[in-house]
Amino acid sequence: MSLGNSWLVIPGQPVLSGIILAIIFFVLAYLARAPMLQAIHALGRVLYRMFRLAARSVAIAERRLDARNREVLLASGREAAERMVDREFHRIERVVNRDLQAYPELHRRISEHIRRIDEDFRNNNESPPTPPEWVKAVEAVAKLQETADPAVASVLGDIRKSLVRAQEKATHEYRKAAARRHRLLAGMAPSWRGIERDLSGVGKGVNTLLDRSGRIDRQMEEFEEIRNATDRAQQTLSSSSLTQFFVSALVMAIAIGGAMINFYLISRPMQEMVGGNSTIGPFLTANIAAMVIIFVELSMGLFLMESLRITRLFPVIGALDDRMRHRMIWITFGFLVALACVESGLALMRATLAASEQQLLQSLGNGGAAAAASAPQHQLIPMITQMVLSFILPFALAFVAIPLESLVQSARTVLGVVGVVLLRALRFVLRLLGNASVGGAGLLARLYDLLIFVPLRVEALFLLRRGGSGGALSGSPRRGED
Amino acid sequence: MRRLTIMLLLAGLVAAGLPGCSGQSSRTQAVFMLVDTSGTYAHQLDKAQSIINYLLAKLYPGDSLAVARIDSASFTQKNILDQVTFDGRPSYAIAQKRNFKRKIDDFVKSVKHGSAYTDITGAVVQAAEYLRETGAPHKTILIFSDLKEDLPKGDVRNFPLHLKGIRVVALNVTKLRSDNVDPRRYRNRVKHWRKRVEEGGGKFVLVNDLSRMDKVLPQQ
């Protein structure tokens, strides 16, 4: 008997053997129905509990992470708000100090202007000289009726002339006095303008203070919101953090581009210093040396920004006393200048090498293009450009510290948010699997019944015939089984 | 502060000391060019010169280059026209290339008439020895010849070659007048050398079209 026919109950009768085996199987399955269904449901329940437990653990982790994110976000927001308020207070202090220092001088100036105006005003009060008293007598005489007496007429004529002269003199004196008053008034104008200017300066200072105090009020409100951990503050900080993350990532990408250009400029001439054929692992030593120079520049930039208290990545540096910090600023700046000079020198060497190589290629007969490119006037411009670029790039790279700090700080929030989202998705999947396992167990039980529907039907008919109720219909679970 | 300064100085020293723990680049290569100066080939040296110029333009610091002539007795140091391993510093390498070119130019000018015999095997053996000594990962022998060996009486050259890891490139294998009578001679010559090289563990490449110089050096 071959192995393929070993299952045959009746040799040479596969159909009959199959039927017999099927009957045996269905009978056994019918007999094992109760424990089988119990096992299936128990498995479903175990899986359900397991997934629910896992989902609960994930939910706890999610809540913890969310709370942690909230704490981190609010702490960073609080720190930023403190910095802003602190900066505003410093500005106000500066404005107040400046204005208060100038106040005695301002007071003296305004007092001087007022004194001058007062003096001029008093001078203006002087009345013009009055005509002499005898003029009234003359006026009375002049009013007399004109007579034919020539003597009287002559006297009257003389009196009239005297009167006219006196009037002219008085008018002249009056005009002189008026002109003098006008002059005095004109002299008061600069004092008025001076006062106006000083007062407008004071007004401007006051407005600045009001503006600043308004800003401080707003920032204090924000600070209060952050301190009270309101949802609005959290939302604002979260969106601000996301924006900060993407912007700083963009700036970092630009900086990486700059670093690559820098690397390209110095890697070739670096071969002059460390050799062009030695390697460290799979990398050329010259390339590694160029990378090290760029990384040292970046580090110096970080230290410089930290010493200037622009960034706060290293609390140790920020906590140094001012004298030490100033020293560190000069040292790191000195290193940066030295590295920039080194890079500039390397750029010069690169240009020289390129020119030399072009000459060699030309002599080897590699076309006229090289010859055209080797003209001195065409070499000078790229050489200077490379040198300037190599000198500037280290300083430009130093500023990478600012976006780096933003990226690091905002990354904490962004990664936290991403983590929460992932945990939430995982929790959903676990709950889904839990529910699916219960439903799946039910479905499996139904499929089992479907498989043995013939014996079940027979059982139902048997029970009906015995006058049993319809509770044992085919496919319906027996009491205590489901 | 002092600690910080020390740390910064250490970083600089590490950067400066990097070459101390360095090895040879896996991209370096050694090329040995054999130039046939027998018979009519003496008049084709300008082609060989342009190939050498191409090699000078394409080889990098750290690479090695040697040029030797194939004449009646080629297994001798005297036949090596010049050999150089280019310095790691590009400026020195450029100067070395200039010197090399000058020597080759002088040699080309000095050749008036060809040698009586052609000892290719001796030249190949010498080239293989040189290339093995360089230790370069990529080794190439360029043979600028018609591959027709003509040995003086008594010279023994019918032994197997040891060319494991060496690429042998036959350049400008011109068809001789006799090949025109029976082209199978040309094919048999090439076949014979291919067999010898491959039996010796090397790789044989034929480049007759000198405008396809990119096939001369291995692609890296």
Side-chain angles (χ1 to χ4, degrees):
Chain A
M1 188 186 283
S2 69
L3 198 65
N5 295 329
S6 61
W7 61 277
L8 294 177
V9 181
I10 304 166
Q13 297 290 334
V15 177
L16 198 61
S17 297
I19 290 168
I20 290 167
L21 282 175
I23 288 168
I24 292 168
F25 171 76
F26 285 127
V27 168
L28 286 176
Y30 174 74
L31 291 174
R33 180 174 180 262
M36 186 56 88
L37 289 183
Q38 278 173 0
I40 288 170
H41 287 299
L43 179 69
R45 276 194 299 275
V46 165
L47 285 173
Y48 174 75
R49 279 179 198 149
M50 195 180 76
F51 283 125
R52 291 289 290 188
L53 195 66
R56 203 168 300 147
S57 301
V58 171
I60 291 167
E62 182 199 329
R63 272 200 298 278
R64 276 186 191 161
L65 187 61
D66 199 24
R68 172 81 185 139
N69 282 349
R70 195 180 165 89
E71 276 174 24
V72 167
L73 197 64
L74 290 171
S76 65
R78 198 161 44 233
E79 194 186 338
E82 275 174 6
R83 280 169 79 171
M84 293 289 279
V85 171
D86 188 46
R87 197 189 62 189
E88 287 299 332
F89 272 123
H90 271 100
R91 281 179 182 163
I92 283 189
E93 189 189 355
R94 216 166 38 240
V95 171
V96 168
N97 280 342
R98 191 187 62 204
D99 289 353
L100 280 181
Q101 273 172 1
Y103 181 72
E105 169 64 20
L106 181 73
H107 184 257
R108 192 191 59 72
R109 252 194 342 258
I110 291 175
S111 299
E112 180 68 20
H113 287 312
I114 289 170
R115 192 188 59 72
R116 270 192 217 149
I117 289 169
D118 188 47
E119 199 177 302
D120 290 344
F121 180 72
R122 269 189 276 111
N123 286 342
N124 279 335
N125 280 344
E126 284 178 10
S127 55
T130 50
E133 287 299 321
W134 54 267
V135 172
K136 286 176 185 171
V138 173
E139 271 179 353
V141 174
K143 282 173 185 170
L144 291 175
Q145 289 294 320
E146 203 173 319
T147 59
D149 189 354
V152 174
S154 167
V155 168
L156 287 174
D158 288 343
I159 289 170
R160 188 171 175 276
K161 277 178 193 169
S162 299
L163 185 61
V164 168
R165 267 202 308 276
Q167 278 177 341
E168 280 175 355
K169 194 180 172 187
T171 306
H172 179 68
E173 285 295 322
Y174 180 75
R175 282 180 182 158
K176 228 169 103 179
R180 194 167 59 83
R181 280 201 298 277
H182 279 137
R183 271 203 307 279
L184 286 170
L185 284 171
M188 284 163 76
S191 300
W192 292 333
R193 281 199 287 273
I195 289 173
E196 193 185 354
R197 197 171 52 241
D198 289 340
L199 287 177
S200 70
V202 171
K204 225 180 266 177
V206 170
N207 283 336
T208 310
L209 281 179
L210 286 173
D211 188 36
R212 295 254 178 242
S213 59
R215 275 191 218 168
I216 287 181
D217 283 346
R218 280 196 300 278
Q219 277 160 6
M220 282 305 288
E221 279 171 19
E222 284 174 18
F223 183 69
E224 279 297 314
E225 280 193 353
I226 293 169
R227 209 167 61 86
N228 295 332
T230 61
D231 288 340
R232 187 170 161 268
Q234 195 192 359
Q235 279 169 7
T236 312
L237 287 173
S238 184
S239 64
S240 154
S241 189
L242 273 171
T243 313
Q244 207 180 351
F245 179 78
F246 287 113
V247 171
S248 47
L250 180 71
V251 177
M252 283 299 288
I254 294 167
I256 288 168
M260 282 167 73
I261 295 285
N262 202 359
F263 172 77
Y264 178 73
L265 284 173
I266 63 171
S267 60
R268 176 89 204 284
M270 193 56 85
Q271 292 180 0
E272 278 297 304
M273 292 162 69
V274 297
N277 52 348
S278 62
T279 57
I280 297 174
F283 306 106
L284 277 176
T285 310
N287 289 351
I288 290 176
M291 286 300 289
V292 167
I293 284 191
I294 291 168
F295 285 140
V296 171
E297 282 167 5
L298 283 171
S299 311
M300 290 300 125
L302 276 177
F303 292 143
L304 183 62
M305 293 294 145
E306 205 67 24
S307 311
L308 288 167
R309 287 192 176 153
I310 294 172
T311 57
R312 294 181 181 191
L313 285 167
F314 301 99
V316 179
I317 298 174
L320 287 173
D321 65 89
D322 282 355
R323 203 165 125 259
M324 204 71 96
R325 213 164 43 79
H326 285 136
R327 274 190 199 168
M328 193 155 163
I329 289 169
W330 284 111
I331 287 173
T332 48
F333 184 72
F335 268 106
L336 268 180
V337 171
L339 287 167
C341 291
V342 167
E343 281 209 13
S344 206
L346 288 172
L348 175 66
M349 192 182 286
R350 186 176 187 279
T352 314
L353 278 176
S356 184
E357 208 166 59
Q358 276 176 357
Q359 281 174 0
L360 176 72
L361 287 175
Q362 191 185 346
S363 71
L364 292 173
N366 270 14
S374 65
Q377 67 271 24
H378 293 153
Q379 286 174 8
L380 198 63
I381 296 168
M383 187 180 78
I384 292 170
T385 311
Q386 282 179 32
M387 286 180 72
V388 171
L389 200 61
S390 299
F391 190 81
I392 289 171
L393 277 172
F395 295 103
L397 285 178
F399 286 95
V400 169
I402 299 168
L404 181 69
E405 187 192 34
S406 294
L407 190 73
V408 169
Q409 282 178 351
S410 55
R412 288 172 73 188
T413 312
V414 172
L415 289 177
V417 169
V418 170
V420 167
V421 169
L422 288 176
L423 286 177
R424 200 165 290 166
L426 182 63
R427 183 161 58 97
F428 173 75
V429 170
L430 287 171
R431 289 181 69 139
L432 197 71
L433 286 172
N435 289 334
S437 60
V438 172
L443 182 69
L444 210 61
R446 295 285 180 275
L447 287 173
Y448 189 86
D449 281 352
L450 187 68
L451 201 68
I452 54 168
F453 77 97
V454 177
L456 284 176
R457 187 70 190 161
V458 171
E459 182 196 6
L461 288 172
F462 177 72
L463 287 174
L464 273 174
R465 196 164 293 174
R466 277 180 61 186
S469 65
L473 287 171
S474 71
S476 64
R478 281 182 287 188
R479 197 178 302 158
E481 288 177 356
D482 200 0
Chain B
M1 189 67 211
R2 191 177 292 168
R3 199 183 300 167
L4 184 76
T5 315
I6 291 167
M7 278 168 66
L8 294 173
L9 286 172
L10 277 174
L13 284 172
V14 168
L18 280 174
C21 52
S22 60
Q24 196 184 27
S25 169
S26 61
R27 291 178 294 183
T28 55
Q29 57 179 318
V31 181
F32 202 112
M33 181 160 174
L34 304 171
V35 182
D36 193 344
T37 57
S38 64
T40 53
Y41 254 82
H43 303 293
Q44 297 204 27
L45 285 177
D46 52 335
K47 284 184 186 173
Q49 198 177 9
S50 65
I51 294 167
I52 293 166
N53 285 348
Y54 173 82
L55 294 174
L56 287 171
K58 288 288 172 188
L59 293 178
Y60 292 101
D63 292 344
S64 301
L65 176 65
V67 176
R69 61 191 292 173
I70 298 172
D71 58 8
S72 303
S74 304
F75 188 66
T76 166
Q77 283 283 345
K78 278 189 269 180
N79 273 30
I80 297 178
L81 303 174
D82 199 6
Q83 57 188 32
V84 66
T85 297
F86 298 116
D87 197 278
R89 292 162 294 180
S91 60
Y92 280 73
I94 288 169
Q96 284 173 314
K97 285 179 181 181
R98 283 210 181 96
N99 282 339
F100 199 97
K101 183 186 176 332
R102 202 178 53 246
K103 283 184 185 172
I104 296 299
D105 290 349
D106 292 346
F107 164 71
V108 170
K109 280 177 199 162
S110 68
V111 175
K112 300 292 178 204
H113 38 76
S115 60
Y117 298 98
T118 314
D119 175 16
I120 300 174
T121 306
V124 168
V125 171
Q126 178 165 261
E129 291 296 321
Y130 171 83
L131 292 177
R132 267 193 286 274
E133 277 174 27
T134 60
H138 304 283
K139 297 180 266 289
T140 309
I141 296 173
L142 305 180
I143 307 174
F144 184 79
S145 167
D146 54 12
L147 298 180
K148 185 173 170 56
E149 197 159 42
D150 184 14
L151 297 168
K153 206 170 183 180
D155 283 8
V156 180
R157 295 290 187 263
N158 57 348
F159 48 79
L161 299 169
H162 298 288
L163 299 169
K164 195 175 178 188
I166 298 176
R167 202 164 160 269
V168 178
V169 183
L171 291 163
N172 194 43
V173 185
T174 51
K175 285 86 179 173
L176 302 171
R177 198 171 297 166
S178 56
D179 296 340
N180 204 18
V181 177
D182 183 1
R184 284 177 300 179
R185 287 178 186 167
Y186 164 76
R187 277 215 307 273
N188 288 340
R189 271 205 319 279
V190 173
K191 200 175 167 184
H192 166 71
W193 274 100
R194 185 184 295 278
K195 193 181 168 199
R196 279 192 85 182
V197 169
E198 286 174 356
E199 279 177 355
K203 186 183 174 191
F204 186 83
V205 180
L206 178 67
V207 179
N208 271 330
D209 182 4
L210 292 184
S211 63
R212 305 289 306 275
M213 292 295 285
D214 53 317
K215 286 187 173 178
V216 169
L217 293 176
Q219 302 294 323
Q220 290 182 44

